Every structure is written in structure tokens, then in C-alpha cells.
Amino acid sequence: MKRVAQVIAVRPEKLDEYRELHRNVPPAVLDRIRRSHISNYSIHLLGDRLFGYFEYHGDDFEADLALMAEDEATQQWWRLTGPCQIPVAAAAPGEWWATAEQVFRME
């Protein structure tokens, strides 16, 4: 299993919209996430920062993410959520959600 933690900023004027969008995530989007071998997915908000965490249980992370990116329902979802977000300064070139380094884990 691969644990993934990511960070992105939310445009302050879009905070309420972002919260509202996530009250009713389309079932097709959730299904695609599950079929991409992702579980235990959560997003947390602190100020204008979103922290996402999920666990990946597949064999080819990049291929599963590519399938997600090709999915029409997911693309529609991203057209709604994308304008609410701003990559953080620590994001690598071309990276939307910046991947955080795990520095501690308690078993």
C-alpha cells in the first residue's frame, strides 16, 4: 500500500463553493476513485490550505491516475473544483496538488 498526502490552496472567495461541492460528490467520481485502487480518501481544510490523504492499493499508480484523468465524470468534476484551487509554492512544475513527504508514522 502507498500512502499519499497532498496540499493545495483554496481561493478565499471560493471556500464556500468548495465546501458545497464536496457535500455531494457525484457517485461516478467516487466510483472512479475506488476503481483506481484508492481508499481511505479524505480532504481537510485549515485556513486556505487543503490537505488530502489517501491510500493506494494497486500495482501501477501512474496508470491508475491516467485512467482517472481520462474519465469524463472526473473531468467534469475537475472543471468544477479546479477554479477553486491554487497550487502552493512548494508544488513541483506541472504539479497541481503538491505531494507531501512523510516524516513520521505510528503503527
Side-chain angles (χ1 to χ4, degrees), residues 11-39:
R11 296 177 189 279
E13 70 277 11
K14 298 279 192 175
L15 280 169
D16 290 338
E17 179 180 346
Y18 194 82
R19 284 185 184 103
E20 186 61 33
L21 285 167
H22 284 81
R23 286 188 184 103
N24 296 299
V25 178
V29 172
L30 297 175
D31 181 58
R32 177 68 259 176
I33 292 169
R34 288 182 186 103
R35 288 186 292 120
S36 295
H37 305 104
I38 291 172
S39 65

Side-chain angles (χ1 to χ4, degrees), residues 63-79:
D64 282 326
L65 292 184
L67 287 171
M68 188 180 304
E70 293 169 5
D71 179 68
E72 181 59 32
T74 300
Q75 290 174 10
Q76 290 175 4
W77 178 245
W78 289 348
R79 283 192 289 273

Side-chain angles (χ1 to χ4, degrees), residues 1 9 42 47-48 50 76 79 85 97 99 104:
M1 175 195 35
S42 60
D48 70 347
L50 293 171
Q76 290 175 4
R79 283 192 289 273
Q85 303 168 336
W97 282 75
T99 301
F104 174 77

